[in-house]
Amino acid sequence: MAKRRRNESPERQALREMVNGYLKENPVKNGTNVNALMREMMYVILEGSLDGEMDEELGYSKYDFRNKETDNSRN
């Protein structure tokens, strides 16, 4: 387990360990690798944020078609 940095939350520490594990398995060799990694991270973050925002707005998750308490829907 990695040493915890001062004032670092457990969530941030877990994220740091996950990224370090990924980088050990997939070493970054050049700028193209860095660019591809950053693009993928941004994709995951933005897609997750937008899905969460839609869930909050509509009041049900993406695949929950039975428990809708709204006339509003995903299209």
Side-chain angles (χ1 to χ4, degrees):
M1 184 189 278
K3 183 179 175 184
R4 183 173 178 184
R5 295 180 181 204
R6 182 191 286 192
N7 300 327
E8 186 174 61
S9 69
E11 294 84 9
R12 184 160 182 149
Q13 181 183 7
L15 179 61
R16 182 181 305 282
E17 289 175 9
M18 181 183 67
V19 170
N20 285 337
Y22 176 83
L23 291 174
K24 284 180 184 175
E25 294 175 11
N26 305 288
V28 175
K29 297 177 182 169
N30 56 37
T32 303
N33 293 134
V34 172
N35 191 23
L37 179 62
M38 295 302 288
R39 283 178 180 260
E40 187 63 28
M41 287 173 37
M42 286 302 295
Y43 172 80
V44 169
I45 291 168
L46 291 173
E47 190 71 22
S49 297
L50 292 172
D51 283 344
E53 185 177 355
M54 185 68 83
D55 292 351
E56 184 69 28
E57 178 67 27
L58 296 177
Y60 62 94
S61 68
K62 188 173 187 175
Y63 301 105
D64 184 15
F65 59 91
R66 297 175 195 210
N67 298 319
K68 291 195 277 187
E69 296 179 8
T70 179
D71 293 333
N72 205 351
S73 64
R74 295 173 189 257
N75 186 0

